[in-house]
Amino acid sequence: MPAPEQLNSIINKQLPWQEELYKHFHRHPELGLKEFETSQRIESELVELGCEIHRFGGTGIVGVLRQDLGPVVLARADMDALPVREDTGLEYSSEVDGVMHACGHDMHVTTLLGAVRFFAENRQYWKGTYIALFQPAEETAAGAQAMIADGLVEILPRPEVALAQHVMPGEAGMIGTKPGPILSAGDCLRITIYGRGAHGSMPHNSVDPVVLAASIVLKLQTIVSRETQPGHFAVLTVGALNAGSTANIIPDRAQLLLNIRTYEPEIRQRMVESIRRVVRGECEAAGSPKDADFEFYDQFPLTSNDQTVNTRVTEAFENHFGTDQVYLTDPATASEDFSRIPDAFGIPYVYWTVGCTDAQQYRDASQRGTVSTEIPANHSPFFAPVINPTLATGTGAQVIAALAYLGSDLPE
Ligand code: ZN
Ligand code: ZN
């Protein structure tokens, strides 16, 4: 392992290049599976750095660096932006109307490219194979699966471990790690319920799906509040309820869109069963003429860090950044499709968070108890990670986590 000052000075020298890249990616966001220019630019940087290039799932791109025999490490960044109109007022704001890097994936891409550059130019510090994987469409949970379906596991060398990070509101320069679940499993569920349409003046001729849907929405609230053991994590949100189009017609169907978040597969399973039971029961009570349809979509797997890998990487972070910059984070209710990749290889992984808010601003807001209203979070049109020190910390974290494996066999 290089000494912290040594490593910091190497990374500091490449920061101007990274800052340019970051601003470039931030100005030119692209939606999931359409990251054409983004992946083109990543490819040209990877080629420049001497990587072997692979493409999977359309815009997915992988750069591989090899250096003697040794451990194989895979690090992943997501590349997609969101359908959000940027309102940060930054001089490097999005130049694409209605599309914005509002989740910081541009930071993930730039820090991973920074790590590739470190490994390409500082070969004395490591041995083995470094795989930098740039994944499309994280936001829609489609990208990791697309790369896997395109032969990722068959073509790449099997890594020993996989790494990923995410920027989040928090003091910039701070790194949060956690063994076990760190992000929830997320499921979207489309439920269509059926009634019988009628003239709005003749409700007795109808089975009113609007009233039925309203009843279902209320009853669904009891799945978390009454059926889930207090203290166990579960979220059930009805994010959309659509029925009818005009005041004097009772429609013949209604559609509900549900979002489910859990940390434990057993709880998830039980919630899904409860949802089906509630919907079936309410439909029967209303005299619905046809069984409801249930359709899952945009499903995110659980992100649960391997204990051993988490300990090894957390210790490496503490040695490099100092124990006061590394903390045990709470699990987040957000979800990710990253874990599909290590799961497809059958390997352990660790996923950590990097704070990206101006430290003083975050501390002040914490003191006032106004973090959630004052600090724009991911997916907000105001989300604006501070470049320094987020870029340096994120790059250092990717390098250090990989060196915990790639640097382990070297003579002292
Ligand atoms: Zn996001
Ligand atoms: Zn994200």
Side-chain angles (χ1 to χ4, degrees), residues 82 103 105 138-139 166 378-379:
L82 284 159
C103 203
H105 298 184
E138 182 280 324
E139 298 289 356
H166 208 300
N378 306 59
H379 293 207

Side-chain angles (χ1 to χ4, degrees), residues 120-188:
E121 295 181 350
N122 298 278
R123 292 184 176 258
Q124 69 276 27
Y125 294 124
W126 65 286
K127 238 166 57 171
T129 302
Y130 187 63
I131 304 174
L133 182 149
F134 298 85
Q135 182 212 300
E138 182 280 324
E139 298 289 356
T140 55
Q145 193 50 50
M147 292 185 81
I148 294 162
D150 203 14
L152 181 82
V153 172
E154 292 73 32
I155 289 165
L156 291 183
R158 183 168 187 270
E160 185 169 319
V161 64
L163 313 168
Q165 62 181 356
H166 208 300
V167 289
M168 292 199 180
E171 287 182 39
M174 297 288 285
I175 296 176
T177 66
K178 184 191 171 298
I182 186 161
L183 295 175
S184 70
D187 294 274
C188 292

Side-chain angles (χ1 to χ4, degrees), residues 134-364:
F134 298 85
Q135 182 212 300
E138 182 280 324
E139 298 289 356
T140 55
Q145 193 50 50
M147 292 185 81
I148 294 162
D150 203 14
L152 181 82
V153 172
E154 292 73 32
I155 289 165
L156 291 183
R158 183 168 187 270
E160 185 169 319
V161 64
L163 313 168
Q165 62 181 356
H166 208 300
V167 289
M168 292 199 180
E171 287 182 39
M174 297 288 285
I175 296 176
T177 66
K178 184 191 171 298
I182 186 161
L183 295 175
S184 70
D187 294 274
C188 292
L189 176 57
R190 182 181 293 114
I191 303 175
T192 308
I193 53 170
Y194 296 93
R196 189 163 55 242
H199 194 289
S201 69
M202 304 171 200
H204 57 289
N205 289 336
S206 78
V207 172
D208 189 340
V210 176
V211 175
L212 170 55
S215 175
I216 289 173
V217 171
L218 288 181
K219 185 74 181 171
L220 288 175
Q221 307 309 312
T222 63
I223 292 175
V224 173
S225 70
R226 303 288 84 186
E227 295 185 24
T228 306
Q229 188 180 336
H232 285 219
F233 172 78
V235 174
L236 198 173
T237 293
V238 181
L241 196 181
N242 296 307
S245 57
T246 191
N248 62 357
I249 301 173
I250 296 170
D252 69 351
R253 68 191 62 195
Q255 197 175 68
L256 297 98
L257 302 182
L258 272 57
N259 195 244
I260 306 160
R261 307 279 172 149
T262 51
Y263 296 135
E264 291 164 58
E266 304 72 39
I267 293 182
R268 178 190 170 280
Q269 189 52 37
R270 193 190 47 67
M271 285 177 77
V272 169
E273 282 162 17
S274 296
I275 291 166
R276 288 182 188 274
R277 190 194 71 238
V278 164
V279 171
R280 270 200 310 267
E282 290 292 324
C283 284
E284 190 178 340
S288 170
K290 190 178 161 195
D291 288 347
D293 297 327
F294 298 86
E295 186 198 339
F296 281 97
Y297 66 102
D298 285 6
Q299 289 185 285
F300 289 87
L302 180 69
T303 306
S304 184
N305 286 331
D306 180 82
Q307 301 272 352
T308 313
V309 175
N310 181 70
T311 303
R312 185 158 171 179
V313 168
T314 301
E315 281 173 8
F317 285 161
E318 286 172 346
N319 289 336
H320 177 75
F321 293 103
T323 45
D324 53 343
Q325 257 188 272
V326 184
Y327 69 101
L328 177 69
T329 186
D330 286 330
T333 58
S335 305
E336 258 277 0
D337 69 346
F338 156 67
S339 69
R340 292 224 171 99
I341 293 169
D343 285 351
F345 280 107
I347 57 168
Y349 59 87
V350 62
Y351 183 98
W352 65 89
T353 64
V354 177
C356 69
T357 316
D358 176 76
Q360 193 58 50
Q361 190 193 357
Y362 194 87
R363 277 195 291 268
D364 291 347

